[in-house]
Amino acid sequence: MRIAITGSTGLIGTALVRSLRTEGGHEVVRLVRRAPTAADEVRWDPGRQEVDTAGLAGCEAVVHLAGAGVGDHRWTAAYKQEIRDSRVLGTRTLATALAAMDTPPRVLLCGSAIGYYGDTGDRRTDENAPAGHGFLPEVCVAWEDAATPAQDAGIRTVFARTGLVVARAGGAWGRLFPLFRLGLGGRLGDGSQYWSFISLDDHIAALRHLLDSEDLAGPVNLTAPEPVTNREVTAVMGKVLNRPTLFPVPAPVLRIALGEFAGDVLGSQRVVPRRLLDSGFTFRHPGIMEAVRAAAA
């Protein structure tokens, strides 16, 4: 297939482009927000609601991964607006442009997040659960709603509600590895909150599975089958890296350091991938030990 991707330079985008090209033999077009400098680049400008759809001609699929990092900066009012706008405006711009094409792609695979569900406590939560309350759930609802033009045009639209990706090179987990290697890792708060994780390899495989599964549309949770507590994550990180985990971070300290975002770090999300499993997807790293070992290798 000819596949277009936004956010191709991020952690997930980089790995997905490599996998599609080297393992799948697909042609990949990368949407960029500057003047194209390579033959595989196509310009788009979400702020001006512009997409060079001529460069997307012949694309059978579009994967939309672009968005400001949730944990990259302290949540000021300005940065919260950037988090929202980068997702909602970008998705609406892309979905509207694709819907207007003479021959639109067959599938639009949009990034989303399990932040949609908010704090689920110790309740196992699948795609049937309603949206939670708070900033991230509100962003996720608006983010997914922004793809409506594509859905109305008959484009199969899938929302990949992603959990915490276990990777050494980036994302939230990428920040944990250096701390644990230095022996400075520890549980966050009391450590009882659930973390719904997925290995980077499984995440990329799941995205490709969603592209190929013609009967899948709507939300699909991209998390490993069994979420674990932060306390369990801490123990596994210490064991795999052979380092002590003696420095728990108290909740008040996290709130001082992270501000409003600390509430989400300390929150619990026990999210399970019901639709992914029902569709026949097989995890390579279903457990936290396998996922961390794969990332540390």
Side-chain angles (χ1 to χ4, degrees):
M1 290 194 293
R2 189 168 195 252
I3 302 172
I5 299 179
T6 73
S8 63
T9 59
L11 171 69
I12 304 302
T14 299
L16 181 60
V17 169
R18 183 187 309 115
S19 175
L20 289 171
R21 285 176 170 168
T22 62
E23 299 172 21
H26 300 292
E27 178 187 355
V28 176
V29 175
R30 297 181 296 122
L31 279 81
V32 297
R33 302 186 189 195
R34 50 170 171 73
T37 59
D40 68 342
E41 294 181 345
V42 171
R43 181 172 172 79
W44 78 311
D45 187 338
R48 296 184 177 182
Q49 302 180 46
E50 297 175 350
V51 180
D52 177 13
T53 52
L56 301 182
C59 286
E60 297 179 64
V62 175
V63 182
H64 177 40
L65 302 173
V70 170
D72 289 358
H73 300 280
R74 192 177 181 87
W75 281 6
T76 62
Y79 194 66
K80 286 171 70 175
Q81 191 65 44
E82 182 176 346
I83 289 172
R84 190 184 191 280
D85 287 351
S86 67
R87 287 160 172 76
V88 177
L89 296 182
T91 301
R92 184 180 300 126
T93 294
L94 189 60
T96 301
L98 297 179
M101 292 177 66
D102 291 337
T103 305
R106 292 185 294 107
V107 57
L108 171 61
L109 175 51
C110 282
S112 186
I114 62 171
Y116 179 96
Y117 305 108
D119 191 332
T120 69
D122 61 359
R123 183 180 71 254
R124 291 174 66 86
T125 301
D126 64 22
E127 293 88 352
N128 290 321
H133 303 283
F135 173 66
L136 288 183
E138 291 170 2
V139 167
C140 289
V141 169
W143 188 4
E144 295 184 8
D145 284 348
T148 299
Q151 294 173 302
D152 289 345
I155 299 172
R156 180 170 68 91
T157 304
V158 188
F159 302 106
R161 290 180 181 168
T162 301
L164 292 167
V165 178
V166 185
R168 186 178 54 187
W173 222 285
R175 299 183 181 185
L176 293 180
F177 270 97
L179 292 175
F180 276 87
R181 288 189 187 281
L182 291 172
L184 300 177
R187 59 176 169 78
L188 304 179
D190 65 10
S192 65
Q193 66 272 33
Y194 276 91
W195 281 19
S196 297
F197 69 93
I198 186 170
S199 76
L200 180 59
D201 287 345
D202 280 335
H203 191 276
I204 299 305
L207 290 176
R208 293 183 56 181
H209 177 79
L210 296 180
L211 287 175
D212 294 337
S213 300
E214 297 290 344
D215 57 340
L216 278 177
V220 180
N221 294 334
L222 267 57
T223 60
E226 291 297 332
V228 293
T229 65
N230 173 257
R231 187 182 296 110
E232 293 173 276
V233 169
T234 300
V236 167
M237 289 287 287
K239 184 173 182 178
V240 171
L241 299 178
N242 194 28
R243 293 291 188 274
T245 56
L246 305 176
F247 298 95
V249 183
V253 174
L254 275 175
R255 293 190 178 96
I256 292 173
L258 301 179
E260 185 180 348
F261 182 46
D264 290 272
V265 172
L266 295 167
S268 181
Q269 291 197 298
R270 193 178 186 182
V271 178
V272 294
R274 181 186 60 83
R275 297 194 69 204
L276 194 59
L277 291 172
D278 287 350
S279 69
F281 182 78
T282 300
F283 285 85
R284 183 178 178 186
H285 308 119
I288 186 62
M289 182 67 77
E290 301 101 312
V292 172
R293 281 177 172 162

